[in-house]
Amino acid sequence: MKRKLVLIVILFVCIVTAGCSSNKTAAGSSDYPKRPVELVVPFGEGSASDTFARKYAEIMSKDMKKPLQPVNKDGSGGLVGMVYAHGQANDGYTVLEVTPSHVIADVLGKGEDMKFLEDFEPLARIQSDIYVLSVPANSDIESFDELVKTGKKKEITFAGVSPGGLDDLTLNALADATGVKVKFIPYGSGSEVKAAVLGGEVDVYLDKLINTVGYIKDGKVKPLVVLNDERVTKIDELKDTPTTVEKGYDVTIGSWRGFVVKKGTPQEVKDVLLDQMEKAYETEEYKKFNAESLTDIREGFLGPEEFKAAMEEDYDKFDQVAKQSGLK
């Protein structure tokens, strides 16, 4: 009788253990994802962020059980997409693409009760963009030193879609470091901003390298300074353009793109996503895309902890600039 009782207990323990193991597998990495993962792109179709997100999702999906499916949730400089992602379950089936705009939303309190840095957990930063400061081809200003000298005497105008955006805060950071006085001129769209620059309606043009290089090569704008620590020797037309650090100003703010998930997402799910992101980053397909996008000049990839630290550092920079410029 005792022997039968012992066997029954052993059998019961085995069944319970097997059940626990099965549940762990169902929730764990070996069973994820069971269905397509929604990749929220918080900007419009055809934008640089959209192009990047769709390409990266395509590369990642080749090595996943179920694909990443990009969906655009455009509006309010990335805020609409962030609010949407925040409203979804924290089960790993919603990934949000992020840029400095989301950190700026925290700085300016645009998310109201929602806080980006508190309510989302970083997976990885993938791309890092470099900014170039240029002037229209017909400008009398020929160098960055000349721009600084002029800007200390009178306001330097620049165009943008909305005050308080990345371009605005970046140029204000540079203005604060150099003592230059700047004035923001609002326009309705990015195309209108470019038209204003090429038409000589504003004094300077601040934009990402990929957006500027064509105008530089065509002789439509003159590059004055690159917001980086090292010169961009990859592009012949920029080899002689100095950097901000070279000029003595530690202002190297640029754009970047990465991915986050809602706070509380299971660690094993985050591990799967991060592993796939790391693998995609090392593929020849992505390296080619990265080079063509001119986002391979400085290292883009950061893991969760490094990405979190970088965003917190950006928050401090943007917070200081926003207060100094009167935006906060």
Side-chain angles (χ1 to χ4, degrees):
M1 188 69 181
K2 284 185 179 180
R3 185 177 178 183
K4 286 183 178 180
L5 184 60
V6 170
L7 288 173
I8 290 172
V9 171
I10 292 173
L11 181 61
F12 177 77
V13 170
C14 289
I15 292 172
V16 171
T17 303
C20 291
S21 176
S22 176
N23 289 338
K24 184 177 181 181
T25 300
S29 62
S30 63
D31 200 40
Y32 170 85
K34 291 182 179 179
R35 62 180 189 274
V37 177
E38 188 174 57
L39 174 59
V40 180
V41 181
F43 302 99
E45 293 183 17
S47 64
S49 293
D50 177 65
T51 302
F52 157 73
R54 289 181 180 279
K55 185 63 177 180
Y56 215 73
E58 177 188 330
I59 297 172
M60 283 181 62
S61 295
K62 291 178 180 179
D63 196 36
M64 293 180 67
K65 294 179 179 179
K66 297 293 181 179
L68 266 74
Q69 293 184 338
V71 56
N72 295 87
K73 298 290 181 180
D74 187 21
S76 302
L79 189 60
V80 170
M82 181 171 72
V83 172
Y84 171 80
H86 186 264
Q88 308 307 304
N90 56 355
D91 55 5
Y93 286 95
T94 303
V95 175
L96 174 65
E97 179 195 17
V98 292
T99 71
S101 296
H102 296 95
V103 178
I104 292 171
D106 267 11
V107 171
L108 301 180
K110 293 182 178 180
E112 298 180 355
D113 295 333
M114 181 181 58
K115 298 294 183 183
F116 168 63
L117 291 176
E118 294 178 6
D119 295 337
F120 290 90
E121 299 177 354
L123 291 172
R125 190 187 78 180
I126 308 298
Q127 282 191 338
S128 180
D129 261 330
I130 296 174
Y131 266 129
V132 180
L133 183 66
S134 308
V135 292
N138 60 357
S139 173
D140 293 332
I141 298 173
E142 296 292 337
S143 69
F144 183 65
D145 291 338
E146 192 175 334
L147 176 70
V148 171
K149 184 177 180 181
T150 302
K152 288 181 178 179
K153 296 177 182 179
K154 66 174 186 177
E155 284 185 329
I156 298 295
T157 59
F158 68 102
V161 175
S162 60
L166 178 60
D167 295 355
D168 188 5
L169 289 175
T170 300
L171 196 53
N172 269 286
L174 187 58
D176 180 64
T178 59
V180 168
K181 294 176 283 187
V182 295
K183 182 180 180 180
F184 177 85
I185 307 295
Y187 285 83
S189 66
S191 59
E192 290 181 23
V193 168
K194 291 176 175 62
V197 171
L198 300 180
E201 295 177 18
V202 291
D203 296 318
V204 298
Y205 174 45
L206 180 71
D207 206 342
K208 293 180 280 292
L209 181 57
I210 188 64
N211 294 338
T212 311
V213 68
Y215 293 143
I216 295 173
K217 291 182 176 182
D218 292 341
K220 294 180 178 179
V221 300
K222 298 180 289 187
L224 300 184
V225 72
V226 178
L227 278 66
N228 198 32
D229 51 355
E230 296 180 354
R231 290 199 180 192
V232 178
T233 57
K234 176 179 178 178
I235 301 170
D236 289 339
E237 291 81 359
L238 285 172
K239 287 181 178 179
D240 296 326
T241 303
T243 69
T244 44
V245 173
E246 184 181 328
K247 285 295 180 179
Y249 306 108
D250 188 20
V251 181
T252 58
I253 298 171
S255 186
W256 45 258
R257 300 176 187 93
F259 302 106
V260 301
V261 288
K262 189 176 178 180
K263 187 176 182 179
T265 298
Q267 184 61 49
E268 59 268 22
V269 169
K270 291 188 292 184
D271 289 343
V272 171
L273 289 168
L274 177 58
D275 182 59
Q276 295 300 330
M277 288 175 185
E278 290 176 332
K279 288 179 179 177
Y281 190 80
E282 295 300 328
T283 62
E284 291 303 316
E285 185 176 1
Y286 177 68
K287 289 177 182 178
K288 180 181 177 182
F289 174 82
N290 202 27
E292 292 172 347
S293 303
L294 300 180
T295 46
D296 64 334
I297 295 171
R298 57 186 182 192
E299 177 61 32
F301 192 91
L302 292 177
E305 294 304 317
E306 295 83 2
F307 189 17
K308 181 179 178 63
M311 288 193 290
E312 290 175 343
E313 183 179 341
D314 277 356
Y315 180 96
D316 292 339
K317 291 178 184 177
F318 294 142
D319 186 57
Q320 181 180 357
V321 175
K323 289 176 180 176
Q324 291 172 341
S325 61
L327 290 168
K328 184 176 182 179

